[in-house]
Amino acid sequence: MQFDRLYIGGEWVKPIDGGLRPSTDPSTGRPWGDVAYGGRADVDRAVAAAREAFAGPWRKMAPWERAALLRKFADLYATRVEALAQIESRDNGRAIRESRGDIGLHPQYWQWFASLADKLSGRTIPMDDSVHAFTSRVPVGVVGTITPWNVPLMAATWKLGPALAAGCTVVLKPAEQTPASSLALGEIFQEAGFPAGVVNIVPGDGATAGAHLVAHADVDKIAFTGEGATAKTILKTGADTLKRFSFELGGKAPHIIFADADVEQAVNAATGSAWALCGQSCALGSRVLVESPIYDRVVEAFRERAGRVRVGNPLDPATHMGPQAHAEQLAKTLDYIELGKAAGANLIAGGSRLAPSGMENGYFVEPTVFADVAPGMRIEQEEIFGPVAAIIPFDGEEEAIAIANGTRYGLTAGLWTGDVGRAHRVANRIDAGMVWVNTFRYIRWSTPYGGVKQSGWGRENGIEALDSYLETRTTVISTTGTFADPFAN
């Protein structure tokens, strides 16, 4: 795998105004390799390559040919799952069992988007006999994709798949903390035979490479996953060029457990989703709302499960939870734990930094559980992005819905109940882009994913994913070729 070069215009090239920098292994706190990063000039040549490819071979390629390339890429990707999982877990600390499971599904996403590439049909608009009016779906153009550090390959798949299926070309800027796995994609695109410039990969700092990509006049759209504050900056930076935007932002998902639920299954889901990815996922059920009759039972189950989580070397298949992805996130998580204590929440498990043998400088933190959390506490309102579960008691549907909807976020939500009527009533009233009933974190290539309120704009996955990468063109053709002289009389 090539980590010391940028992938631009179908070639591996040295940075012009970037360079090499060490990538830190979060399980040790020490560098594990040098990775290339780009600056403004590197972004310029990547955008120029993408613009040339869009105007040339990619735009002119038949949709079924684009689909065939995407399928070839998917097949090659399937042969690299283990290698990609190893790179990603080394770079961001995700437990290898999770990386393998997640990345192992990505070829299906690529196959799904390939299946849509030649089905972007428009519609005929009924008019009178003098004209034939119809619409076409056409690609937006050059897309800048900015992906996060928690799931670099998943985010790249969710953005590049629909963008390429729609006929766009792409400049991918992965997060500066975790660029290695995204660079590894370049070799697969190269081997699959994508025309030069269709995909370009330029890691770099958000304040320089990212900001320049957003402001660039030749970039037609930005697809971003990350924090809401960064999205607001992106909007301001890109305003002068009136480019399009799609955002997948934060979440503070409510995970509601009613007293009539199958409690054992609900606890399986609630504890699993609270600590997956070391808590570094916007879809996690970090707010666990529990109806009063079963509250003590669920609290005790969380306490017991926290003690069973194996925290350690992310490359060990036995590990359940690896470290936080970088030092800043570790500090943020520990700060929020202190905020929870100060607010009066009851810390019943975890709450401290860990130092596993041989990894004493790693960014590990215990799976943490706060009980008796009140709505309005910062640990209940704000996205921590660490393995911190907040358990909140409630009485009845109305209070559950009020608490669930009581944050600025609206990405995902879940509820457990044995009453099918309640399932429909409550799911229909929750402010979220995706609601799970008697399951949690079920996300696939064909299920649209995205948020409401401050959790984002647009949808990823599903047929809807293509919408933000396409424009609708209306064409009106005269069937007579005549046009009245307006000055005849």
Side-chain angles (χ1 to χ4, degrees), residues 169-451:
T169 56
V170 176
V171 176
L172 167 60
K173 193 210 82 69
E176 53 264 37
Q177 299 92 340
T178 57
S181 58
S182 297
L183 281 169
L185 292 178
E187 291 189 355
I188 309 179
F189 282 111
Q190 209 172 27
E191 188 174 341
F194 276 72
V198 171
V199 176
N200 307 273
I201 305 171
V202 183
D205 294 324
T208 52
H212 190 52
L213 183 64
V214 170
H216 207 293
D218 274 340
V219 173
D220 301 295
K221 171 186 161 58
I222 293 292
F224 169 76
T225 295
E227 295 184 356
T230 306
K232 293 174 185 178
T233 300
I234 287 172
L235 279 174
K236 294 172 184 175
T237 303
D240 286 344
T241 54
L242 286 177
K243 52 174 56 71
R244 283 101 179 106
F245 298 95
S246 58
F247 295 126
E248 198 276 277
L249 307 176
K252 194 71 176 176
H255 200 161
I256 307 168
I257 307 175
F258 286 99
D260 62 1
D262 184 329
V263 176
E264 183 68 19
Q265 299 305 314
V267 167
N268 287 344
T271 54
S273 70
W275 302 316
L277 285 84
C278 199
Q280 298 167 133
S281 169
C282 44
L284 295 187
S286 53
R287 294 188 296 147
V288 185
L289 283 57
V290 185
E291 200 163 18
S292 294
I294 59 169
Y295 182 77
D296 290 341
R297 178 181 172 187
V298 172
V299 167
E300 182 54 37
F302 262 82
R303 186 203 311 269
E304 187 270 335
R305 296 289 179 90
R308 287 163 47 191
V309 178
R310 291 190 295 270
V311 182
N313 184 352
L315 297 180
D316 183 347
T319 294
H320 292 134
M321 194 175 87
Q324 301 272 262
H326 51 87
E328 292 81 3
Q329 181 55 48
L330 172 66
K332 177 184 175 184
T333 297
L334 294 175
D335 285 346
Y336 269 104
I337 290 171
E338 293 306 312
L339 286 171
K341 293 177 185 177
N346 181 14
L347 180 66
I348 64 168
S352 299
R353 183 174 181 178
L354 289 173
S357 177
M359 295 174 287
E360 289 81 5
N361 294 320
Y363 310 138
F364 295 92
V365 64
E366 294 178 302
T368 298
V369 184
F370 281 102
D372 306 326
V373 174
M377 287 184 179
R378 289 186 63 184
I379 62 168
E380 188 268 341
Q381 287 286 306
E382 299 174 16
E383 186 175 43
I384 299 172
F385 234 54
V388 181
I391 307 181
I392 308 160
F394 73 87
D395 292 296
E397 289 181 23
E398 291 301 318
E399 186 177 13
I401 293 166
I403 295 172
N405 291 341
T407 75
R408 65 180 182 270
Y409 297 110
L411 185 57
T412 64
L415 65 104
W416 290 79
T417 178
D419 182 337
V420 68
R422 169 179 280 164
H424 283 281
R425 286 194 305 272
V426 176
N428 189 53
R429 293 180 60 191
I430 292 178
D431 297 333
M434 194 166 202
V435 180
W436 296 292
V437 178
N438 293 340
T439 188
F440 204 83
R441 291 189 75 238
Y442 185 91
I443 301 169
R444 293 297 185 272
W445 41 90
S446 55
T447 56
Y449 180 88

Side-chain angles (χ1 to χ4, degrees), residues 123-166:
R123 62 188 180 92
T124 300
I125 302 173
M127 297 298 292
D128 56 63
D129 289 344
S130 66
V131 296
H132 174 58
F134 61 93
T135 63
S136 307
R137 307 297 302 282
V138 297
V140 165
V142 174
V143 176
T145 60
I146 302 175
T147 51
W149 45 260
N150 61 328
V151 282
L153 286 175
M154 185 183 80
T157 293
W158 288 16
K159 288 172 170 52
L160 270 63
L164 296 173

